[in-house]
Amino acid sequence: MRMTDIKSLTPGELRLYLESFHMPRYRADQIFRWIHVQLARNFDEMTNLPATLRTGLRESFAWNTLRMEDRQISALDGTQKFLFALPDGNFVESVFMRYRFGNSVCISSQVGCRMGCRFCASTLNGWERNLAASEMLEQIYEIRRITGEKISHVVVMGTGEPLDNYDNLVRFLRLLCCEEGMNLSQRSITVSTCGIVPRIRKLAREGLQITLALSLHAVTDERRREIMPVAETYTIEETMSALRFYYETTGRQVTFEYTLIRGVNDSVSDAEGLSALALSLRAHVNLIPVNPVKERGYVETGAEAVQAFKNRLEKSGVNVTIRREMGRDIDGACGQLRRRHILS
Ligand code: SAH
């Protein structure tokens, strides 16, 4: 039988477990604090617990940890890329970035991905498994332990499709934001999805205030299907309608991510189509020059053309930014560090 993963339990669940050990409620709260605030590395560090309780916990619960396998630090902007080994031998990537508004961590939500976007390195070897809530949290906690830095923003934009790991994702989000834990502001979290429509609607009803980003990348269904298999299942119209529901239910403005690929989605009519979609939802647009992945053969739009594309959107009244490229000198693109590692 697999042991319960203690780091994925909510404060309420942990209290119930401890009650079954005939332990008072304050013990559960102490343990939760050790895990999520003091970032204990093991049960032995929980020095205000009786030794017998620590032994009992060790015997009763699974303790998920990540081991740093590789770390790259950008000489350009201080971005740090981490490769973490999971206890089952799998690997995940996470990234630490410094911005003017604070430090941000980009985490992975799955080992591999089954969405199959053609320009993305994360999906080249397919999907291996979902990450537990604790394994998403630990990417942030371990980066805090290693760097000693404060983290004010979290983006779920690493390997994996977060809405394809829905229950663990929502559990992770609630743990990250709960008062008894790291207490991160929900508004400082962005979840990026390729657009699993029913899950967007479900997420809208969770009562969360997180930012949702849609990886749009094309403005016609035909073109989108060529680069994103998820477009075979959901049309752009259906996706827009789910996003409108998200916006209306949560009051949160949504973001479109749009990866510019030369000759594929960067024409004048693409800019016009994108403007129309963005204006209809009052969405913010984030343009990303595609990060070339050797196996994929796509080429990024040149810097001038990116600027022209942006200007077109702005002229139509769209709120648009060009994603600052972080850590170009290290294995920048999504999934490249992990991929290099599993191939070697
Ligand atoms: N599955 C989620 C989150 C992970 S990908 C999603 O699809 O949104 C995070 C973002 O990086 C997505 O917008 C994705 O399309 C983009 N991306 C993936 N590979 C890229 C590449 N080679 N260059 C630029 N952006 C890429």
Side-chain angles (χ1 to χ4, degrees), residues 119-120 157-158 160-162 192-194 215 217 257 259 290-291 293 334:
F119 45 83
C120 180
M157 285 194 188
E161 168 49 46
S192 176
T193 178
C194 64
S215 297
H217 305 327
E257 284 161 276
T259 292
V290 75
N291 216 328
V293 176
C334 315

Side-chain angles (χ1 to χ4, degrees), residues 258 260 274 285-289 309-310 313 320-323:
Y258 196 91
L260 286 162
L274 181 54
V285 174
N286 201 1
L287 297 174
I288 317 162
F309 196 91
K310 176 180 186 241
L313 293 179
V320 53
T321 45
I322 299 176
R323 160 120 32 109

Side-chain angles (χ1 to χ4, degrees), residues 270-334:
D270 291 321
E272 286 165 356
L274 181 54
S275 294
L277 291 174
L279 290 174
S280 75
L281 269 175
R282 290 206 267 155
H284 173 92
V285 174
N286 201 1
L287 297 174
I288 317 162
V290 75
N291 216 328
V293 176
K294 197 172 73 253
E295 295 82 351
R296 297 309 205 187
Y298 289 122
V299 178
E300 74 259 49
T301 304
E304 267 176 42
V306 171
Q307 197 56 50
F309 196 91
K310 176 180 186 241
N311 292 345
R312 254 175 223 291
L313 293 179
E314 270 176 346
K315 270 212 189 103
S316 326
V318 177
N319 177 351
V320 53
T321 45
I322 299 176
R323 160 120 32 109
R324 227 178 97 204
E325 287 184 69
M326 309 287 278
R328 254 268 151 131
D329 53 331
I330 53 182
D331 285 310
C334 315

